[in-house]
Every structure is written in C-alpha cells, then in structure tokens.
Amino acid sequence: MNCNTVTEIEGIDHLQDKIAPGQFGWPAGRPSAVPPSLSQVDYYLLTTFQPPDQEAPSMSHRSLLPLLAVSLVVAAPGASASPGTPVITIDTGKVAGSTDAGVTSWKGIPFAAPPVGTLRWRPPAPAKPWPGVRQATAYAADCMQVPFPSDAAPLGTTPSEDCLYLNVWKPADAKGLLPVIVWIYGGGFVNGGASPPTYSGAELAKQGALVVSFNYRIGRFGFFAHPQLTRETGAKDVVGNYGFMDQIAALEWVKRNVTAFGGDPANVTIAGESAGGMSVNTLLTSPMSKGLFAKAVVMSGGDGGTAPTPLADVERIGVQFATGKGIAADDPEALEKLRALPADTIADGLNLANFMQRDKPTYHGPYVDGKLAIDSRAAFAQGRMHKVPVMIGATSADIGGKTGYMVAGARSLAGTLAGHGAPVYAYRFSYVHQANEKPGAGAGHATDIPFFFDTVAIKYGAQATARDLGMGKTMSTYMVNFAKRGDPNGAGLPAWERYARAADAIMDFTANGTAVMGKDAWGADIDAAQTTPAKAGERR
C-alpha cells in the first residue's frame, strides 16, 4: 500500500502552513520532538492536502523504542520511590508520579494487559499486578499506527502494539474529591494518541479538575472483523470494536481507582474531539457504558449517527486484508496466522492520508455491533441514551462549512438531546489564533482543542498573543465549570444559556476573542440546506 496516497475528502483547504525540514526525522534510539504546526486533521476533513517531502519514520527505528520506553518506565521489582515522590496505591500496585508547577501527574499507568500475541483482537484483559513501586513519570507508547506527517497534535512517543496505558493530572494541593475529566483523542480511528503536549491535563488541573487521558487501539488493531474471530468470540460477546472496548475498560479503571488520586468517581466527564467526539456519541448510547460517566463534551463529533453495517460485510473486508497477506479465507489456521503477523504488516501503511479505500477496502473502522456500539442515530431519536448534561459544538470552518456534517450535525444533535430533556450547552468556535488569521478563513477542525485545554502557550509558543491566551483561559474555565457542576457558567464569564431548539441560542467563541451568547446566525441556512434535496454528487 502506498503511504503517500492522498484521499481527497471535503473540507480542508486550511492546510497551507509549512513544516520545517527535518521536523519528522526519527534518529535511532529516540523519536525527535515534533512541535505542533497544523490543526489536527481527522478523516472527515481531508481535502487538497499534499504531504510534506519528509518520509514517515522507519518501522525499524520504531520497533526498538518501545523496549527502551518500558525499561525507563517500570521500576525493578522491589524498588521504592524517592522521598517526597507522590506514591499512590491502585488495584494493581503502587505508582510513583512527579510534581511540577503545582500539578502532580502520573503517566504510563497500565489499565489493561498489553494486547499483543494471542491477545491481539481480543477484549482488553486485566493488567497484571507488579511488585514494588512502578515509576509513572513518562508517557508510555501510543497505539500502533503509521504517524500522519501533518497531524496537528504530533505524537510524543513511538507507536507500539503494547499501548493500553493512561495518565493522570491533579492539583498538588487539592483537598476533597475533584471532578474528573477523561479525554478521548481524535484521529479518524487510524491515528492519534494521548501523548501530544497539546493534550496535557496540567492546565485544567490548575483550575481544580483531575484529568485522565488514555490510549485506545486504532486502525486494524482496534477495528477488525473476520469470520474466525466471530466464531472464536461467540454470539453473546462483542467482536470487532476493540478500540471501543478499550475506552470502556479505561472508564472502568477510572471508576475503580480514581478515588485513590483524589477524583470523584461519581463526577466523571468524558470529552472527545472528532473521532473522540464520535466515541463520546457512541458511549452516550451504549448499554455497556451505563454508570461510567455523569457528563459529556462532544467536540466536532458530527450528528451522532452511525450507519449500521452488517457484520458479514465487515468480516468480508477483514478477509480481503488477510487474503492480501497470503492467508486464505478458508484456512483453518487463518486467525493464528493473522495474530502472528508483525505489527508493521497489520498497520500496512494505513493512516489519515489513505484510509478511505474504495477499491477492495481492507479496513472498515467502527461498526454497529448491537451490544457496545448500537444504532446511535435511532437511539438518539428515540431518547434511548444516558440523559446527562452535554456540551456540544464544532468549529466555524469544520467539515463542509456551516451546512456540513460537523457544524450542522452538532446543532441537530444538540436539538435532539435537549428535546429529550438532557441539559445541553451548544457552542461554535470561530476564533483563530492571531498569527494564523486569514480573511474569511474561519476556525479549522480541531483548532479549539488547545483553547479548551488552556494549552495555547504549548501549541503556539512565542506566537501566542495575549488575546489567544485570554480565549484559552475563558474556554478552559467553562470546561472545568461544566465538569464540576454540569453547567459551564461561573463568576466573571458571559452567561451561557441551555440550548433549546426553539430559541436556537449558542455560545459563539468569536473571531475577535470574545464569548457571545445569541441566536445561531447560521440556523436558517442550515435548516434550508437540510430541507433542500442535494444535487447530484453533492454531500450533505
């Protein structure tokens, strides 16, 4: 498969920023630091993108680095922490973190066993207990993938199949139980990870939240079906959506262990962007996520619809992949042979630049399994979801513009949720980092993330202006307030009204750096587009 194939998808003409030569080199022994440059691109947004000239990191370098990471992260049996090191006891052992600038963090904590070997394409198994104190001061590997060169949030680690780890941040001087924010990254279900600096939870922790981020399997490692897998799993259990199973496992870990860190297991907010936002939509309707969260934030997650695909069709795509690797559909040892393939072979060049395959596809992505991932469009329409407070929105230059899947979809889902009695706070992110302002361009996909995380200074460095930083402080304060009480309002902030379809009022984080509540100026255009039949070849 050609890794440089570009699939043109509607919506991203804002990928004109330049990347300095050498940014994506990976010298032997460690990955280079790859500073953020572009807005994160998920698969719904790709259009006339042309990849940089740099080659993707070689798999030979990547294959060595997880071994080094493990040797650095895990203390030897019987080891103890240094005096003053924050040590927490969880259900699998003790973990030692670190404190910096008023924030204590623990990174690289396993929440499940490594999904390798015979555990490839199985539900996440329990993590094994360890003796002594495990050093938890560095990110563990992000999940196996072929990194996307122009990702807005470049990975901070080398991908590995051994990747089911999570990270925790909390204010060092916290008293009492804290609200918990659990972050689910985007990346089109083929890219992404918890390690990018933009996703650091430190700044939100400074405002009084406990933040958790975690990895979940992506690409063919996270979403794969084959007739032999179905037979092995049995009719009663979930097959294929292993990435979603990882998300459930991480939330179950939070429920069991977050109290030890000072978090409130009864006050958990799940938040995700793009594929992460779609994951939040899945979790909002999943019977298997009941009781695992109390609030939700959906950032550019679309309209909540998941097109049902028969399992047989998803299996057929898995068989096509296996056949391409010389493993016949009727081979009785097909599953054993597939699990024996090297991780690089399973990845097979798949990433955001080429995963939309039309001719004999070998990757499907998430599908409706009927147990964990149900038909969410029907579920939302019928009110069969967890009726928790929801903050939902998109960026102003998101997919397809104002009548596209992200912007119009968020507005539609906000109305559906509110109509069923859920407290909903709708927003639109129209602000553009001042150094990137272009007349009429609008805010691109995922550009709201560093503002909600208050990591604007990390994302933009010396280019961050006082207005940029101010918008980050405003939006992150709304986020933490929402996590605390299910209501983003608070002292010193413009009032944010609950969404109702009739009033159609949203919070606009405007281009001039202010937060303005008012009737959606695009509402009439969106409604007109939804009632006008699409022309031939036009997407709705």
Side-chain angles (χ1 to χ4, degrees):
M1 184 178 294
N2 182 0
C3 294
N4 293 322
T5 301
V6 176
T7 300
E8 294 192 355
I9 305 174
E10 188 177 51
I12 291 199
D13 48 65
H14 61 276
L15 283 175
Q16 58 260 33
D17 294 9
K18 302 298 182 182
I19 299 173
Q23 271 188 318
F24 296 97
W26 295 68
R30 67 170 183 87
S32 64
V34 185
S37 177
L38 300 174
S39 298
Q40 169 154 348
V41 183
D42 278 353
Y43 64 111
Y44 295 100
L45 286 206
L46 288 169
T47 183
T48 55
F49 167 67
Q50 295 183 7
D53 293 335
Q54 293 85 354
E55 294 182 356
S58 70
M59 291 294 182
S60 60
H61 291 156
R62 288 209 294 268
S63 64
L64 296 175
L65 288 170
L67 300 176
L68 174 61
V70 169
S71 68
L72 293 176
V73 171
V74 184
S80 60
S82 302
T85 300
V87 176
I88 297 293
T89 301
I90 58 176
D91 58 4
T92 46
K94 295 182 179 181
V95 288
S98 61
T99 300
D100 181 58
V103 174
T104 300
S105 65
W106 295 262
K107 298 174 182 175
I109 303 173
F111 66 89
V116 300
T118 59
L119 294 183
R120 180 186 284 174
W121 299 315
R122 292 185 188 273
K128 292 183 178 180
W130 54 84
V133 179
R134 181 185 182 100
Q135 297 302 308
T137 57
Y139 290 111
D142 293 297
C143 285
M144 189 64 190
Q145 61 192 279
V146 176
F148 183 56
S150 292
D151 201 328
L155 302 181
T157 74
T158 302
S160 168
E161 199 172 356
D162 176 3
C163 64
L164 298 184
Y165 301 88
L166 54 72
N167 316 292
V168 180
W169 294 262
K170 62 168 286 187
D173 59 354
K175 301 292 189 296
L177 293 181
L178 299 166
V180 180
I181 299 174
V182 180
W183 172 245
I184 306 174
Y185 53 79
F189 296 108
V190 294
N191 284 120
S195 69
T198 305
Y199 299 163
S200 168
E203 297 306 314
L204 293 178
K206 290 177 182 178
Q207 297 190 48
L210 185 148
V211 181
V212 178
S213 67
F214 65 87
N215 292 329
Y216 62 94
R217 284 171 282 181
I218 51 178
R220 294 186 191 90
F221 301 93
F223 304 95
F224 184 78
H226 190 280
Q228 289 192 25
L229 268 173
T230 303
R231 287 194 292 272
E232 176 186 77
T233 302
K236 294 183 179 181
D237 296 319
V238 179
V239 64
N241 286 321
Y242 305 102
F244 285 155
M245 297 181 212
D246 296 341
Q247 295 177 10
I248 295 287
L251 290 172
E252 290 174 339
W253 183 97
V254 169
K255 190 175 185 69
R256 295 193 311 271
N257 291 292
V258 79
T259 303
F261 295 87
D264 184 352
N267 191 12
V268 174
T269 298
I270 56 173
E273 187 274 338
S274 200
M278 295 171 204
S279 297
V280 172
N281 286 335
T282 295
L283 293 168
L284 277 168
T285 58
S286 176
M288 295 179 67
S289 64
K290 184 178 180 180
L292 296 180
F293 60 91
K295 307 173 188 70
V297 179
V298 185
M299 303 161 59
S300 297
D303 63 5
T306 303
T309 303
L311 174 59
D313 290 350
V314 186
E315 289 176 338
R316 188 158 39 251
I317 291 172
V319 167
Q320 286 175 177
F321 172 76
T323 301
K325 302 306 172 190
I327 302 172
D330 59 355
D331 186 339
E333 298 180 349
L335 194 49
E336 289 78 4
K337 292 178 180 179
L338 281 164
R339 284 184 170 136
L341 290 175
D344 293 354
T345 303
I346 298 296
D348 201 25
L350 183 72
N351 70 5
L352 280 166
N354 58 32
F355 82 105
M356 292 289 285
Q357 306 157 348
R358 293 176 175 84
D359 183 22
K360 290 187 176 180
T362 59
Y363 173 71
H364 183 274
Y367 81 105
V368 174
D369 59 58
K371 301 177 183 69
L372 191 164
I374 66 173
D375 184 343
S376 55
R377 187 186 305 279
F380 282 127
Q382 297 165 14
R384 291 185 290 110
M385 71 276 191
H386 309 306
K387 292 183 176 68
V388 300
V390 177
M391 182 189 295
I392 184 170
T395 65
S396 63
D398 227 315
I399 182 173
K402 61 185 175 183
T403 61
Y405 176 74
M406 294 296 184
V407 175
R411 178 174 175 269
S412 174
L413 185 53
T416 298
L417 293 168
H420 288 298
V424 176
Y425 296 89
Y427 76 88
R428 182 160 304 132
F429 180 75
S430 305
Y431 185 75
V432 178
H433 160 53
Q434 283 191 280
N436 289 343
E437 285 183 309
K438 298 176 180 64
H445 185 63
T447 55
D448 50 347
I449 296 175
F451 294 89
F452 274 123
F453 270 83
D454 199 19
T455 53
V456 174
I458 294 174
K459 171 71 175 176
Y460 298 111
Q463 290 187 321
T465 67
R467 194 177 80 180
D468 296 337
L469 296 171
M471 180 58 85
K473 189 61 65 178
T474 294
M475 291 176 61
S476 62
T477 302
Y478 277 128
M479 174 72 89
V480 173
N481 287 347
F482 180 76
K484 289 177 178 177
R485 299 181 295 274
D487 183 331
N489 290 290
L493 295 171
W496 191 338
E497 302 169 16
R498 281 176 57 168
Y499 186 81
R501 197 188 298 271
D504 197 22
I506 66 172
M507 178 63 76
D508 187 8
F509 298 109
T510 68
N512 64 12
T514 58
V516 177
M517 189 74 202
K519 186 175 179 62
D520 188 354
W522 291 355
D525 290 337
I526 293 173
D527 290 340
Q530 292 177 339
T531 57
T532 302
K535 298 177 182 178
E538 182 181 359
R539 297 179 59 179
R540 282 280 186 260

